[in-house]
Amino acid sequence: LDQAYGVGLRFLQFFLDMSDVMRDEVIQSVKHILKENPTIDDSQLEKDAKNIFLLLTYGVIFGVLRKVAFSIGSKEIEEAYDVLLEDKNTPAVRLINQAIKLQFMKQLDHSTIKDLVT
């Protein structure tokens, strides 16, 4: 489980590092595409470009965490997820565990989600 979590989380870290490097270029590209619509002013163009970039980034993050959860999830080894969480109590691991519990055990822990938000 540790290795399976690690693969997805290492990819996610790589993606986030690359998105930080490429962020301004991506925003400028999106801004250029949006500029073809002359009814939008420059400040709105930049705001829309940043929102599109964030939406794409959040989509990848959600997709990777969900894929890890669905790839290794099983209700038969619920205790193993808890043991891993004790060892690696990070927001990403907690999100993966919540996705597993929701999908495979039909459980939603509201207190853990509240803790992740704050």
Side-chain angles (χ1 to χ4, degrees):
L1 283 177
D2 186 35
Q3 294 300 315
Y5 277 57
V7 167
L9 296 178
R10 282 191 302 276
F11 167 76
L12 201 52
Q13 186 61 55
F14 169 77
F15 172 78
L16 292 173
D17 290 344
M18 290 288 86
S19 69
D20 281 344
V21 170
M22 302 298 291
R23 182 178 59 113
D24 291 335
E25 290 180 40
V26 171
I27 289 172
Q28 289 303 319
S29 295
V30 172
K31 189 176 175 181
H32 176 72
I33 293 168
L34 292 173
K35 200 169 198 168
E36 293 175 1
N37 185 349
T39 61
I40 301 174
D41 64 31
D42 285 347
S43 64
Q44 186 63 40
L45 280 174
E46 188 164 348
K47 182 180 176 186
D48 289 347
K50 287 180 181 180
N51 286 339
I52 290 170
F53 178 77
L54 287 174
L55 181 65
L56 291 171
T57 302
Y58 292 147
V60 170
I61 292 168
F62 174 74
V64 169
L65 294 177
R66 187 170 183 249
K67 186 67 173 173
V68 169
F70 287 171
S71 296
I72 62 173
S74 171
K75 63 181 174 181
E76 285 79 21
I77 58 171
E78 181 178 3
E79 299 84 26
Y81 305 121
D82 295 334
V83 169
L84 183 64
L85 183 60
E86 286 177 17
D87 187 41
K88 295 186 180 199
N89 191 359
T90 66
V93 171
R94 292 189 324 206
L95 281 171
I96 292 169
N97 282 4
Q98 282 301 300
I100 290 169
K101 287 181 180 186
L102 183 59
Q103 179 65 31
F104 294 96
M105 297 156 220
K106 308 301 184 213
Q107 298 174 358
L108 183 61
D109 186 352
H110 295 281
S111 63
T112 298
I113 293 172
K114 279 183 183 178
D115 289 345
L116 284 168
V117 170
T118 56

